[in-house]
Every structure is written in C-alpha cells, then in structure tokens.
Amino acid sequence: MTSLTQRSSGLVQRRTEASRSAAADKDRGSGDEDFEPRRGEEEEEKDKGDSKETRLTLMEEVLLLGLKDREGYTSFWNDCISSGLRGCMLIELAIRGRLQLEACGMRRKSLLARKVICKSDAPTGDVLLDEALKHVKETQPPETVQSWIELLSGETWNPLKLHYQLRNVRERLAKNLVEKGVLTTEKQNFLLFDMTTHPLTNNNIKQRLIKRVQEAVLEKWVNDPHRMDKRLLALIFLAHSSDVLENAFAPLLDDQYDLAMKRVRQLLDLEPEGESMKPNANELLWAVVAAFTK
C-alpha cells in the first residue's frame, strides 16, 4: 500500500485562495481554539449541522471525499477505494452494535487472528450493510477481518466464495447520496463508451465533511485516539486506506497541511494491538486498522 507521504505530491494542487478564507474564519473563531469538546457535545454539534436526511454512513463519507466534484467519479488510478469501502462496512456495523470480534480467550490471539461474529442481526436500514451483515451471520466457521475485506471485495481465488462479493458498491453508494440530495446523476461520453456519473450538487455537505476531518487533526486535535469520536477516527483511517484523505487537506495552507499530515502519521504509527486493549476501545475498529496498516 502506498504511503501517505508518497501520495501527497501527486494529487490536487492546494488552493491558496480558499485556504486564506478558511484561515480568516479560523481567526474569527480563535477564542474557541483551546476548547476540547466532550464526546456528547461533539455529537450534539454534529446533529445541528446535519439533518437526518443528510447523515452519511462511513462508506458514503469516504466515497464523497474521493469523488471529483464536477466530473462525478473517482480517480481511475485509485485501486485502494474498493477494499477501503469494505473496511468501512465492517466498522460501521461494529459501531452500530451488529458485529464484534470473538473473545480472545486465555491465550490472547492477535486482532487479525480473531474471527468476526454477529452480535445482533437487527436490520440497519441500509441495504449494503444488511447484505454484509447477512453474509457474516450465515458463514460458518466464522472468518477474520482480513478475510471479510477480501471476500466482500471479490478478491478470492476460491470459486465457492465468490458469492460473498458485494457488487457495484460505488454505484449503489452514489445512488444513496443522490437520494440524500448530495449528488446528481448524469451521463458522460468517454469516446468508446457512456458512463453514469454523479456530480456534486450539495457542496455544503461535502464542505462540512472536509471541515470535520481538518479540524480533527488541527483545531480540535486531542493527541489521544480514545478521546476522539470513534466514527471520525475510523473516517481518517479509512480515508487514508482508500487513498482519498489527501483530498480533504488539499485546500489547507502549507503550514496547516504539514501539521495535519504530521498528526495523521502519528495516528498511523499507533500499534493497533495495544490500542485495542485500552478501556472503551472498539476491537473490530482496530482490527480493520491493523488489516490496512500491517
């Protein structure tokens, strides 16, 4: 997997004008810089910004970060986003209380050796998540996190397990975002073929998402992953694994960009095994992180 630092030079040119206005906004709100919001307050603030109709899943957020605003599709050179979206599904199901890792027992197994088990089969209301949950529930013997990422992506040599692949995931997620009023649907001609694209139609939602990611490693940085909102922490890890995190940092000024990247590297350098043993840690979240950073 390509490292974050190697990717940084080849992507979008940072827009200085936009970043200057962002810096001006930061100055106007400088009185709040030293305030570290508690989890409950973070959630309350988030709820004020997003109505129920526009609340996004982890998969939708990662896809939205990867989509080109006007063109309405992800980079043709991005071969990481497919497995990244499957990791998002596992974490989303874990955060919603549907999946967990098996008990580690007396002789503690590593995160990547422990199986994923169904904690609750209650429907989530999301077709993709329910489809993934059904596969996990009905599979015996259970599989590991690494295996599920590969199976749901269709990256298996076993023809008997090809039915686990979730097909057309990006297109289905894009249609969800169309229904939520974030994207629209168009047809574009690419010489030899026509392709359905989904240009951005509600820029406010994407800008709020980008701002949340930026603030997590800048103004609201807490230097402790266990004090961060689990969903936001997972978003940073999975956006990196999907090779789209750079897009959230593109508008930053150079010094802000360098600081943000430094703090992201701090998160990437964490040891998932040790972090998963700390109080209130979500073990399956750290297992997915281990699968992408091993």
Side-chain angles (χ1 to χ4, degrees):
M1 187 180 300
T2 311
S3 69
L4 191 70
T5 50
Q6 288 174 320
R7 295 185 199 130
S8 59
S9 61
L11 290 173
V12 192
Q13 181 73 29
R14 298 198 289 283
R15 300 191 299 275
T16 313
E17 283 296 321
S19 48
R20 284 204 186 102
S21 65
D25 291 341
K26 177 184 167 186
D27 291 340
R28 285 195 292 273
S30 59
D32 297 331
E33 280 183 343
D34 297 329
F35 175 66
E36 293 179 357
R38 294 187 296 272
R39 285 184 190 172
E41 291 169 347
E42 277 187 309
E43 291 297 328
E44 185 179 341
E45 183 180 341
K46 195 190 307 178
D47 290 343
K48 288 177 184 175
D50 289 327
S51 65
K52 288 183 180 178
E53 289 76 18
T54 56
R55 194 165 301 154
L56 309 181
T57 64
L58 273 175
M59 305 91 71
E60 291 165 349
E61 289 178 331
V62 167
L63 180 67
L64 188 56
L65 287 176
L67 278 175
K68 300 180 180 181
D69 294 355
R70 293 181 182 177
E71 294 87 345
Y73 51 83
T74 56
S75 170
F76 292 123
W77 310 111
N78 188 338
D79 57 356
C80 304
I81 196 168
S82 178
S83 57
L85 290 173
R86 272 64 175 188
C88 287
M89 293 178 195
L90 295 177
I91 292 180
E92 184 78 43
L93 287 167
I95 290 175
R96 296 191 186 201
R98 303 307 198 276
L99 298 181
Q100 65 183 21
L101 291 184
E102 65 179 349
C104 54
M106 294 293 290
R107 299 179 65 181
R108 188 176 181 88
K109 295 181 181 178
S110 69
L111 290 172
L112 295 180
R114 292 164 65 185
K115 310 294 186 181
V116 179
I117 59 175
C118 181
K119 183 179 180 182
S120 167
D121 62 356
T124 64
D126 183 284
V127 176
L128 274 171
L129 290 177
D130 288 341
E131 193 175 334
L133 180 61
K134 183 173 183 287
H135 282 318
V136 175
K137 178 191 173 187
E138 295 179 352
T139 299
Q140 293 298 330
E143 300 279 359
T144 63
V145 162
Q146 183 70 60
S147 294
W148 274 120
I149 291 172
E150 293 170 357
L151 290 172
L152 296 175
S153 302
E155 297 174 0
T156 176
W157 293 100
N158 188 341
L160 298 178
K161 294 188 175 182
L162 285 174
H163 67 283
Y164 288 121
Q165 182 182 3
L166 299 182
R167 300 183 182 277
N168 303 316
V169 168
R170 271 180 266 191
E171 180 64 23
R172 291 162 73 181
L173 289 172
K175 286 181 178 178
N176 288 350
L177 290 169
V178 170
E179 291 175 4
K180 293 179 179 181
V182 183
L183 306 177
T184 187
T185 302
E186 294 180 358
K187 286 276 188 183
Q188 285 195 31
N189 182 274
F190 288 85
L191 297 179
L192 299 177
F193 60 94
D194 289 334
M195 187 174 86
T196 302
T197 61
H198 300 281
L200 186 67
T201 186
N202 188 333
N203 191 49
N204 290 335
I205 293 176
K206 183 165 185 176
Q207 290 307 312
R208 279 205 301 267
L209 172 62
I210 289 173
K211 184 179 179 182
R212 279 176 52 221
V213 174
Q214 291 176 352
E215 288 182 341
V217 292
L218 292 173
E219 294 94 336
K220 296 183 179 179
W221 173 249
V222 293
N223 201 29
D224 180 358
H226 299 280
R227 292 171 60 198
M228 294 177 68
D229 174 65
K230 286 185 174 64
R231 183 176 292 276
L232 186 54
L233 178 66
L235 175 59
I236 292 172
F237 276 120
L238 271 300
H240 165 260
S241 301
S242 303
D243 200 7
V244 300
L245 184 61
E246 174 75 19
N247 297 343
F249 296 151
L252 294 174
L253 293 169
D254 288 346
D255 56 344
Q256 292 176 315
Y257 176 85
D258 292 341
L259 181 59
M261 297 295 286
K262 176 184 175 182
R263 288 171 173 172
V264 168
R265 282 192 291 271
Q266 284 180 235
L267 292 175
L268 296 174
D269 288 340
L270 293 171
E271 178 51 56
E273 293 288 347
E275 298 300 326
S276 70
M277 298 171 66
K278 295 182 179 178
N280 300 318
N282 187 310
E283 291 183 318
L284 199 146
L285 185 157
W286 289 106
V288 172
V289 171
F292 282 109
T293 59
K294 66 179 175 53

